[in-house]
């Protein structure tokens, strides 16, 4: 259950909310969490969701204690390419998260965790899958469709 411990520790990590310097926020407030096969097989979606909800509540309290009065969002997503869960806190609303790709913000963390726990080969992309994407783009003369990924968002700032 190492993953649950790491999720809880995120709440105690350094926290910087500096809307004028999003890069510092990103570098300080972003975490990458992996899980061994035995953790993936023994954890339930509900346990992991509850751990992240507790962490979001603890971060919300820390932000209040800091006296920060702006918008802040704690968010979690499954980085399929790396095979890891990632989470971050930023002084941004859910519709302005710093992703270059298209994402769908949701208040339901279940599907994100389900995908992570079910990932049988985390961080592994088969060469054949890469070839299929290239062949598809050559046949259609377009880039393969990139689907939006799910991101769980939780408001942790005092402004909503």
């Amino acid at each position: 259950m190492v993953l649950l411990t790491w999720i809880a520790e995120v709440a105690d990590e350094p926290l910087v909310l500096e809307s004028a310097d999003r890069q510092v926020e990103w570098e300080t407030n972003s975490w990458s969490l992996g899980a061994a096969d035995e953790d993936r097989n023994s954890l339930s979606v509900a346990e992991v969701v509850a751990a992240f909800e507790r962490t979001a509540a603890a971060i919300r309290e820390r932000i209040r204690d800091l006296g920060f009065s702006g918008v802040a969002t704690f968010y979690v997503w499954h980085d399929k390419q790396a095979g890891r869960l990632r989470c971050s806190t930023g002084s941004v609303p859910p519709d302005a998260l710093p992703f270059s790709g298209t994402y769908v913000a949701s208040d339901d963390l279940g599907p994100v965790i389900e995908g992570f726990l079910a990932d049988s080969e985390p961080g592994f992309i088969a060469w054949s899958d890469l070839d299929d994407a290239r062949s598809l783009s050559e046949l259609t003369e377009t880039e393969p469709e990139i689907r939006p990924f799910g991101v769980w968002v939780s408001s942790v700032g005092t402004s909503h």
Side-chain angles (χ1 to χ4, degrees):
M1 308 295 181
V2 174
L3 179 62
L4 299 180
T5 302
W6 288 343
I7 294 168
E9 289 174 354
V10 165
D12 298 323
E13 292 291 321
L15 180 66
V16 173
L17 294 171
E18 184 55 59
S19 55
D21 194 342
R22 302 265 191 238
Q23 186 66 32
V24 168
E25 272 190 359
W26 178 256
E27 290 170 359
T28 306
N29 304 343
S30 295
W31 304 275
S32 176
L33 310 167
D37 288 344
E38 55 271 10
D39 250 10
R40 284 178 193 271
N41 296 330
S42 66
L43 288 169
S44 71
V45 171
E47 288 173 301
V48 179
V49 166
F52 273 117
E53 288 173 342
R54 286 189 299 273
T55 295
I59 289 173
R60 188 175 300 111
E61 288 302 314
R62 284 186 62 198
I63 288 172
R64 285 188 186 129
D65 292 347
L66 290 171
F68 182 79
S69 60
V71 171
T73 303
F74 176 69
Y75 50 104
V76 178
W77 69 102
H78 175 203
D79 180 343
K80 292 179 184 175
Q81 187 173 4
R84 301 178 72 76
L85 284 172
R86 299 200 190 266
C87 59
S88 189
T89 304
S91 58
V92 294
D95 62 354
L97 301 178
F99 293 113
S100 57
T102 306
Y103 67 94
V104 176
S106 172
D107 61 0
D108 184 2
L109 181 53
V112 173
I113 302 306
E114 240 171 65
F116 173 73
L117 293 177
D119 192 350
S120 63
E121 296 186 76
F124 178 78
I125 299 174
W127 283 106
S128 59
D129 291 345
L130 295 175
D131 289 341
D132 288 346
R134 188 173 60 240
S135 298
L136 176 65
S137 82
E138 289 167 358
L139 289 173
T140 62
E141 295 184 15
T142 62
E143 289 299 312
E145 178 187 350
I146 298 175
R147 289 187 218 124
F149 59 96
V151 179
W152 177 69
V153 296
S154 178
S155 176
V156 291
T158 56
S159 298
H160 300 287

Coordinates of all heavy atoms in Angstrom, one line a residue, residues 14 31 36 44 47 55-56 58 68 92 108 134 136 139 150:
P14 N 6.3 20.8 -0.2 CA 6.3 22.2 -0.3 C 5.2 22.6 -1.3 O 4.8 21.9 -2.2 CB 7.7 22.5 -1.0 CG 8.5 21.4 -0.5 CD 7.6 20.2 -0.4
W31 N 3.6 16.1 -8.8 CA 4.1 14.9 -8.2 C 3.8 13.8 -9.2 O 2.7 13.8 -9.8 CB 3.6 14.6 -6.9 CG 3.8 15.7 -5.9 CD1 5.0 15.9 -5.2 CD2 3.0 16.8 -5.6 NE1 4.9 17.1 -4.5 CE2 3.7 17.7 -4.7 CE3 1.7 17.2 -6.1 CZ2 3.1 18.8 -4.2 CZ3 1.2 18.4 -5.6 CH2 1.9 19.2 -4.7
A36 N 3.7 -0.6 -7.7 CA 4.2 -1.9 -8.1 C 3.0 -2.8 -8.4 O 1.9 -2.4 -8.0 CB 5.0 -2.5 -6.9
S44 N -8.1 -1.0 -4.2 CA -9.4 -0.8 -4.8 C -9.5 0.7 -5.3 O -8.7 1.5 -4.8 CB -10.6 -1.0 -3.9 OG -10.7 0.0 -2.9
E47 N -10.3 3.0 -2.5 CA -9.3 3.3 -1.5 C -8.4 4.5 -2.1 O -8.0 5.4 -1.3 CB -8.4 2.1 -1.3 CG -9.0 1.0 -0.4 CD -8.1 -0.2 -0.4 OE1 -7.7 -0.8 -1.5 OE2 -7.6 -0.6 0.7
T55 N -6.1 14.0 0.6 CA -5.0 14.9 0.3 C -5.5 16.3 -0.2 O -5.0 17.3 0.2 CB -4.1 14.3 -0.8 OG1 -3.5 13.1 -0.2 CG2 -3.0 15.2 -1.3
A56 N -6.6 16.3 -1.0 CA -7.1 17.6 -1.5 C -7.7 18.4 -0.3 O -7.4 19.6 -0.3 CB -8.3 17.3 -2.5
A58 N -6.6 18.3 2.8 CA -5.4 18.8 3.5 C -4.8 19.9 2.8 O -4.4 20.9 3.5 CB -4.4 17.6 3.8
F68 N -4.0 32.5 1.3 CA -4.2 32.6 -0.1 C -5.6 32.8 -0.4 O -6.5 32.0 0.0 CB -3.6 31.4 -0.9 CG -3.7 31.5 -2.4 CD1 -2.7 32.3 -3.0 CD2 -4.6 30.9 -3.1 CE1 -2.8 32.4 -4.4 CE2 -4.7 31.0 -4.5 CZ -3.8 31.8 -5.1
V92 N -4.9 28.2 -10.7 CA -5.7 28.2 -12.0 C -7.1 27.6 -11.8 O -7.2 26.7 -11.0 CB -5.0 27.5 -13.1 CG1 -3.7 28.2 -13.5 CG2 -4.7 26.0 -12.8
D108 N -15.3 13.4 -11.0 CA -15.3 12.0 -10.7 C -13.9 11.4 -10.9 O -13.5 11.2 -12.1 CB -16.3 11.3 -11.6 CG -16.5 9.8 -11.3 OD1 -15.8 9.3 -10.4 OD2 -17.3 9.2 -12.1
R134 N 1.1 5.4 -37.3 CA 1.7 6.0 -38.5 C 1.0 5.5 -39.7 O 0.8 6.3 -40.6 CB 3.2 5.6 -38.5 CG 4.0 6.3 -39.6 CD 5.5 6.1 -39.5 NE 5.8 4.7 -39.7 CZ 6.5 4.0 -38.8 NH1 6.8 4.5 -37.7 NH2 6.7 2.7 -39.0
L136 N -2.0 4.6 -40.1 CA -3.3 5.3 -40.2 C -3.2 6.7 -40.8 O -3.9 7.1 -41.6 CB -4.0 5.3 -38.8 CG -5.3 6.0 -38.7 CD1 -6.4 5.3 -39.6 CD2 -5.8 6.1 -37.3
L139 N -2.4 6.6 -44.5 CA -3.6 6.2 -45.3 C -4.6 7.4 -45.4 O -5.2 7.6 -46.4 CB -4.3 5.0 -44.6 CG -3.6 3.7 -44.8 CD1 -4.4 2.6 -44.0 CD2 -3.5 3.2 -46.2
G150 N -8.8 12.3 -19.2 CA -9.6 12.7 -18.1 C -8.7 13.3 -17.0 O -7.6 12.7 -16.7

